[in-house]
Amino acid sequence: MGLKIVEATIANFNEVFSKFKEEAANNKANLILFLADKEPSTSLSWCPDCVRGEPVIYKKLEEAGEDVALLRAYVGDRPTWRTPNNPFRIDSRFQLKGVPTLIRWENDAVVARLEDHEAHIDSKISALLSESK
């Protein structure tokens, strides 16, 4: 089946996440990638770490060749993300401090994560993907 990608914004995250969790048992791995929004003028993220990390992450997920579900969650534009009460910053399930953040989600919990400063490192992404269920 390969890589299945769904997207969510702050506005629809809870609805999309509920469906993502319902389907989790059908996948070898369930990942959530928190990203900065894209700038309308450039179609690139305002976050340089996201621009650097995204291609590496997607390449590793495609190479995995297994049933992987990826929920891409956009945290907002720069002012929205910088707000201390951004919904993803204060959500006790995720406790985001930076973007991109790649999370492995199993049994209704975060079991592994790569934060912004390491989310582009090939070997760390591979290790996160190979975490045993």
Side-chain angles (χ1 to χ4, degrees):
M1 194 104 175
L3 180 62
K4 296 175 275 191
I5 299 175
V6 293
E7 293 191 345
T9 62
I10 291 172
N12 71 357
F13 180 80
N14 287 330
E15 176 187 333
V16 174
F17 187 54
S18 290
K19 187 168 173 33
F20 178 80
K21 291 192 306 182
E22 285 172 17
E23 297 173 2
N26 302 328
N27 306 310
K28 177 115 171 91
N30 296 285
L31 306 171
I32 306 168
L33 177 58
F34 291 95
L35 297 164
D37 285 12
K38 297 192 183 313
E39 293 283 356
S41 60
T42 63
S43 296
L44 292 174
S45 173
W46 57 260
C47 163
D49 289 336
C50 294
V51 171
R52 177 175 63 168
E54 272 190 276
V56 180
I57 292 167
Y58 300 143
K59 181 174 184 277
K60 290 305 292 181
L61 295 181
E62 289 290 343
E63 287 173 1
E66 299 170 351
D67 292 335
V68 175
L70 175 67
L71 169 53
R72 261 193 308 229
Y74 291 95
V75 301
D77 60 15
R78 188 183 305 256
T80 302
W81 170 245
R82 297 278 186 227
T83 305
N85 65 346
N86 178 290
F88 296 120
R89 287 185 185 274
I90 61 175
D91 189 320
S92 62
R93 296 171 295 188
F94 309 115
Q95 301 171 350
L96 286 193
K97 293 174 183 60
V99 287
T101 296
L102 181 63
I103 288 176
R104 185 164 179 134
W105 184 263
E106 290 176 11
N107 302 317
D108 215 27
V110 173
V111 296
R113 71 189 300 137
L114 295 176
E115 306 263 336
D116 52 354
H117 61 280
E118 59 189 358
H120 67 283
I121 301 172
D122 202 282
S123 60
K124 290 190 180 255
I125 298 165
S126 293
L128 184 121
L129 277 171
S130 65
E131 296 274 329
S132 59
K133 273 197 148 192

